[in-house]
């Protein structure tokens, strides 16, 4: 790792990936939305949150399928999609990773067969019925998938209950169950009324991952660093719902900038580092 590299260097490489994604989407009529801390950074900081080293976007499964097809057609040598369907024991959201870079995270360091380049996350924005019981079922299934995915990364439980659940997973046919869970999570994609959007394959709690449809129906141009990305027409309402007083800065302690990878390099390919670990 180049010791002179910083969070800002990683951010700029991530921005290069995002500019490529945005170009592919605009050329092919594909809708995405900046979300979470990326949306917060756009409104509060005009770009990245200064102490953050990631960029996240939402796509619905339909838009993602169009994006994947466009990426295959584009066949750009610098970028690759990593997703749960194609990467062994990888059950999270999709990523677009950049070849020729390194971003090796502690929990994934032993996964020698997967790509470890710098990336942009593509979170799947699913539909769920307005019925609260069905929402709770999908929520619990999403949490199962999340926990199972963490267990495959040698994740260390933080509480006794998490430890019990993790030990229980070892005796269950988890891969089969996870695929069944995904079937329901994707089940409501074509529902056009009486639905909410949700994103629960994450540590987010029930309410924090449940969204009004209007938040993600009208994309508009949002300034971000030196470019323009797509975000919600109701981005401020979304941020208020998600964060409350989103313009309030966290404590100075929480503002410490750090790259959340054990090894990172914006100029060298991850393969140069894997054999050294």
């Amino acid at each position: 790792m180049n010791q002179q590299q910083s969070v800002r260097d990683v951010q700029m490489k991530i921005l290069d990936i995002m500019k490529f994604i945005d170009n592919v989407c605009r050329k092919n009529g594909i809708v995405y939305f900046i979300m979470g801390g990326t949306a917060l950074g756009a409104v509060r900081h005009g770009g990245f949150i200064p102490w953050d080293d990631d960029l996240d976007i939402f796509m619905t499964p339909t838009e993602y399928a169009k994006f994947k097809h466009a990426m295959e057609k584009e066949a750009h040598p610098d970028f690759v999609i990593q997703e749960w369907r194609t990467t062994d024991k990888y059950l999270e959201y999709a990523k677009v990773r950049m070849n020729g870079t390194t971003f090796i995270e502690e929990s994934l360091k032993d996964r020698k067969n997967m790509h470890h380049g710098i990336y942009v996350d593509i979170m799947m924005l699913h539909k769920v019925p307005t019925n609260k019981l069905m929402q709770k079922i999908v929520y619990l299934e999403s949490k199962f998938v999340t926990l199972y995915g963490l267990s495959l990364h040698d994740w260390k439980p933080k509480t006794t209950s998490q430890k019990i659940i993790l030990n229980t997973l070892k005796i269950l046919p988890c891969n089969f169950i996870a695929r069944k869970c995904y079937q329901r999570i994707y089940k409501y994609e074509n529902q056009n009324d009486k639905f909410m959007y949700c994103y629960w394959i994450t540590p987010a709690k029930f309410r924090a991952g449940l969204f009004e449809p209007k938040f993600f129906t009208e994309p508009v141009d949002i300034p971000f660093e030196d470019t323009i990305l797509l975000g919600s027409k109701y981005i401020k309402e979304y941020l208020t719902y998600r964060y409350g007083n989103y313009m309030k800065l966290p404590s100075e302690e929480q503002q410490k900038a750090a790259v959340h990878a054990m090894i990172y390099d914006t100029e060298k390919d991850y393969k140069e580092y894997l054999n050294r670990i």
Side-chain angles (χ1 to χ4, degrees):
M1 179 179 68
N2 183 344
Q3 296 300 319
Q4 302 302 311
Q5 292 181 349
S6 65
V7 170
R8 190 61 177 168
D9 294 316
V10 174
Q11 288 176 346
M12 291 300 97
K13 194 63 72 171
I14 292 171
L15 188 61
D16 288 341
I17 302 171
M18 189 60 231
K19 287 177 179 178
F20 169 74
I21 293 171
D22 178 74
N23 183 56
V24 170
C25 289
R26 290 180 190 268
K27 283 197 306 185
N28 293 277
I30 297 164
V31 174
Y32 72 86
F33 294 88
I34 56 173
M35 51 80 67
T38 304
L40 176 60
V43 173
R44 194 171 69 189
H45 303 277
F48 288 100
I49 295 174
W51 50 93
D52 251 1
D53 65 345
D54 64 0
L55 193 156
D56 305 323
I57 62 175
F58 271 144
M59 285 186 191
T60 65
T62 296
E63 296 303 304
Y64 176 73
K66 290 160 58 179
F67 176 73
K68 184 178 176 182
H69 176 73
M71 282 284 287
E72 291 170 352
K73 185 173 63 175
E74 185 92 16
H76 197 289
D78 291 342
F79 304 99
V80 62
I81 289 182
Q82 186 177 67
E83 59 176 3
W84 70 272
R85 294 179 181 86
T86 58
T87 302
D88 183 45
K89 295 184 179 180
Y90 183 81
L91 290 173
E92 297 177 75
Y93 29 80
K95 299 177 187 290
V96 174
R97 293 201 186 246
M98 179 184 279
N99 293 325
T101 65
T102 300
F103 199 89
I104 301 175
E105 296 166 274
E106 177 73 30
S107 63
L108 298 171
K109 67 180 187 298
D110 296 325
R111 305 288 298 279
K112 308 291 187 180
N113 64 332
M114 69 178 282
H115 199 297
H116 291 274
I118 293 172
Y119 60 83
V120 166
D121 284 319
I122 303 178
M123 315 296 197
M124 293 297 115
L125 188 62
H126 297 285
K127 290 180 179 179
V128 65
T130 53
N131 179 282
K132 288 296 180 185
L133 176 60
M134 292 309 303
Q135 290 176 357
K136 289 290 187 180
I137 291 172
V138 174
Y139 173 76
L140 291 173
E141 290 174 329
S142 300
K143 291 305 167 188
F144 176 87
V145 170
T146 301
L147 190 58
Y148 179 42
L150 288 171
S151 74
L152 295 174
H153 300 169
D154 296 322
W155 172 72
K156 301 297 185 288
K158 299 178 177 60
T159 66
T160 301
S161 61
Q162 288 177 344
K163 187 174 182 180
I164 292 171
I165 293 171
L166 203 61
N167 287 333
T168 302
L169 289 179
K170 294 176 181 177
I171 62 173
L172 294 175
C174 291
N175 192 51
F176 173 80
I177 296 172
R179 292 187 179 278
K180 289 297 181 182
C181 289
Y182 266 119
Q183 286 177 11
R184 190 192 302 275
I185 292 167
Y186 278 79
K187 179 178 179 179
Y188 306 103
E189 170 66 7
N190 295 320
Q191 188 161 327
N192 293 319
D193 58 5
K194 295 184 179 180
F195 74 90
M196 301 279 280
Y197 280 118
C198 67
Y199 175 65
W200 288 315
I201 303 180
T202 166
K205 297 187 183 300
F206 179 79
R207 180 188 178 278
L210 187 66
F211 310 109
E212 292 182 34
K214 80 169 189 177
F215 287 161
F216 302 110
T217 53
E218 295 185 64
V220 296
D221 286 342
I222 304 287
F224 190 93
E225 298 291 344
D226 63 354
T227 191
I228 300 292
L229 302 179
L230 291 179
S232 172
K233 179 180 179 180
Y234 302 96
I235 192 168
K236 292 182 178 180
E237 290 91 334
Y238 160 71
L239 290 173
T240 299
Y241 172 82
R242 185 73 177 80
Y243 298 105
N245 181 8
Y246 60 86
M247 294 302 291
K248 182 181 178 180
L249 291 172
S251 67
E252 290 187 11
E253 178 67 24
Q254 293 173 302
Q255 293 182 39
K256 289 183 178 178
V259 176
H260 300 101
M262 62 179 292
I263 302 172
Y264 64 94
D265 197 316
T266 62
E267 305 301 330
K268 291 184 180 178
D269 193 88
Y270 66 93
K271 296 185 186 74
E272 296 188 32
Y273 291 96
L274 279 181
N275 292 331
R276 306 181 198 174
I277 300 174

